[in-house]
Amino acid sequence: MAADQTTLQLGRSLFTAEASPPCAVCHTLADAGASGSVGPDLDALKPSAERVTAAVRGGIGVMPAFEALTEEQVSAISEYVSMVAGSR
Ligand code: HEC
């Protein structure tokens, strides 16, 4: 499924700021200007959208589950990360 610009922008703003705590605090993702090093470098991992969704919904290791995010928000983050990871 090709993500449209609105979805990508929503995903990016959730990644960098709106998710609590923001993904960018812990992860490196060049497209988002993020250089966190607590979790894996997502540009190197290049996770599928399904893999991002599983991590965000359920949490993994010290990464918390993001229970406050809506379906739409989780899907936007997942589309965004899987689209841009490793692209820069
Ligand atoms: C508090 C730090 C922290 C935050 C915030 C965080 N993560 Fe993580 N994330 C981690 C750590 C640590 C791991 C590795 C966990 C492990 O494998 O034990 C991880 C793993 C992942 C993985 C790989 C999962 C896998 O299958 O191996 C993805 C994808 C991911 N995070 C995406 C995100 C996204 C998207 C957000 C924002 C909604 C986010 N993370 C927020 C720390 C964080």
Side-chain angles (χ1 to χ4, degrees):
M1 184 175 94
D4 60 32
Q5 283 306 314
T6 312
T7 305
L8 292 183
Q9 275 165 23
L10 177 60
R12 187 184 289 112
S13 70
L14 286 161
F15 192 97
T16 55
E18 286 161 40
S20 178
C23 321
V25 171
C26 292
H27 289 284
T28 288
L29 184 65
D31 186 86
S35 56
S37 57
V38 178
D41 177 339
L42 297 176
D43 288 314
L45 190 67
K46 297 190 186 65
S48 65
E50 290 71 25
R51 191 168 174 184
V52 178
T53 299
V56 172
R57 276 204 203 300
I60 175 167
V62 302
M63 175 174 155
F66 286 75
E67 289 166 352
L69 296 179
T70 65
E71 296 274 317
E72 188 196 12
Q73 289 173 320
V74 173
S75 118
I77 290 184
S78 302
E79 286 294 316
Y80 169 66
V81 173
S82 63
M83 239 3 222
V84 304
S87 68
R88 290 195 185 190

